[in-house]
Amino acid sequence: GQQVQQSPASLVLQEGENAELQCNFSTSLNSMQWFYQRPGGSLVSLFYNPSGTKHSGRLTSTTVIKERRSSLHISSSQTTDSGTYLCALEPGTGSNRLTFGKGTKFSLIP
Amino acid sequence: ETAVFQTPNYHVTQVGNEVSFNCKQTLGHDTMYWYKQDSKKLLKIMFSYNNKQLIVNETVPRRFSPQSSDKAHLNLRIKSVEPEDSAVYLCASSWTFEQYFGPGTRLTVL
């Protein structure tokens, strides 16, 4: 089965609303990464978060290893936040290989 | 399932040597990418290649060069490695928005 599951697959909100994206994993974790991908563009790394909570502007990432989940919270979403958000698991086996979720496609309604 | 293949998994070399990393995708995608993931785990785009059009991140040193024989292959050559080149190099491919990543090649420069 898939090691990293992201939800929801797609999310449509109105501008100004808060968004919560989830990533659940089934294997041992060294760290979770969150990426942003603008439509038609390449990936931008948002967070490298092995555990706990990290903040960057309107973005917050929380990784809870015991519960095998990581979340990305976007507060007061703006139209420029539209795109695909990907989480990627760095396994706890010492491997450098990343396992990506399938992403959440996030769209804003002005 | 793995559809973007990278070799080798790891490579250790000395300063000044030339290295080449291979990437192949079997998804029929028309665009391929190379990313560098540094020690801070930040992922940065290096190159994207589509229909013989190469887009280069201007911050990439000139000792790096992509090499493509067809749209399924995009290799990365480093002419004379430097210590700061130690990193994980990720290859990816896409058709529209979603990118599929290879497992990465970890380069260590002594």
Side-chain angles (χ1 to χ4, degrees):
Chain A
Q2 192 175 353
Q3 296 178 327
V4 180
Q5 294 185 338
Q6 274 190 256
S7 61
S10 64
L11 181 63
V12 181
L13 295 175
Q14 287 196 324
E15 196 172 8
E17 291 185 319
N18 299 331
E20 187 82 18
L21 284 60
Q22 294 290 340
C23 194
N24 294 283
F25 48 92
S26 58
T27 62
S28 62
L29 174 85
N30 188 48
S31 186
M32 184 68 73
Q33 296 190 10
W34 283 93
F35 298 92
Y36 167 69
Q37 184 179 34
R38 190 180 298 279
S42 57
L43 258 62
V44 173
S45 185
L46 298 175
F47 292 102
Y48 177 79
N49 189 357
S51 67
T53 299
K54 292 190 174 183
H55 302 277
S56 177
R58 295 182 293 105
L59 304 179
T60 301
S61 169
T62 300
T63 298
V64 183
I65 296 177
K66 287 185 177 180
E67 297 178 13
R68 294 183 178 266
R69 64 175 178 86
S70 182
S71 64
L72 178 67
H73 182 85
I74 306 172
S75 62
S76 303
S77 55
Q78 302 173 1
T79 54
T80 52
D81 296 331
S82 294
T84 299
Y85 291 83
L86 291 156
C87 65
L89 178 148
E90 180 181 331
T93 59
S95 170
N96 63 317
R97 301 187 177 209
L98 296 176
T99 301
F100 282 75
K102 291 187 176 182
T104 295
K105 293 186 179 179
F106 184 40
S107 302
L108 270 297
I109 302 172
Chain B
E1 85 230 40
T2 303
V4 181
F5 303 88
Q6 287 187 243
T7 57
N9 294 337
Y10 306 91
H11 188 77
V12 181
T13 190
Q14 293 186 329
V15 171
N17 286 347
E18 178 178 316
V19 300
S20 185
F21 302 148
N22 300 315
C23 181
K24 171 188 174 182
Q25 56 95 2
T26 59
L27 297 165
H29 289 167
D30 62 348
T31 305
M32 295 184 71
Y33 312 83
W34 275 102
Y35 291 81
K36 178 183 180 181
Q37 188 176 37
D38 61 17
S39 59
K40 296 180 180 179
K41 305 297 184 179
L42 297 176
L43 208 68
K44 295 181 180 179
I45 182 73
M46 301 178 70
F47 305 98
S48 66
Y49 189 83
N50 180 318
N51 294 326
K52 299 186 179 181
Q53 181 184 15
L54 177 66
I55 299 174
V56 182
N57 183 327
E58 60 184 12
T59 65
V60 175
R62 297 181 71 176
R63 60 181 179 277
F64 289 83
S65 61
Q67 297 173 322
S68 179
S69 56
D70 54 59
K71 71 174 188 178
H73 296 83
L74 186 67
N75 300 331
L76 180 66
R77 173 177 171 246
I78 311 174
K79 193 173 182 180
S80 177
V81 296
E82 298 287 339
E84 61 264 28
D85 298 338
S86 293
V88 175
Y89 292 88
L90 290 161
C91 174
S93 71
S94 72
W95 181 252
T96 53
F97 305 146
E98 185 175 14
Q99 291 188 23
Y100 292 77
F101 279 72
T105 295
R106 180 178 293 279
L107 173 65
T108 301
V109 180
L110 302 177

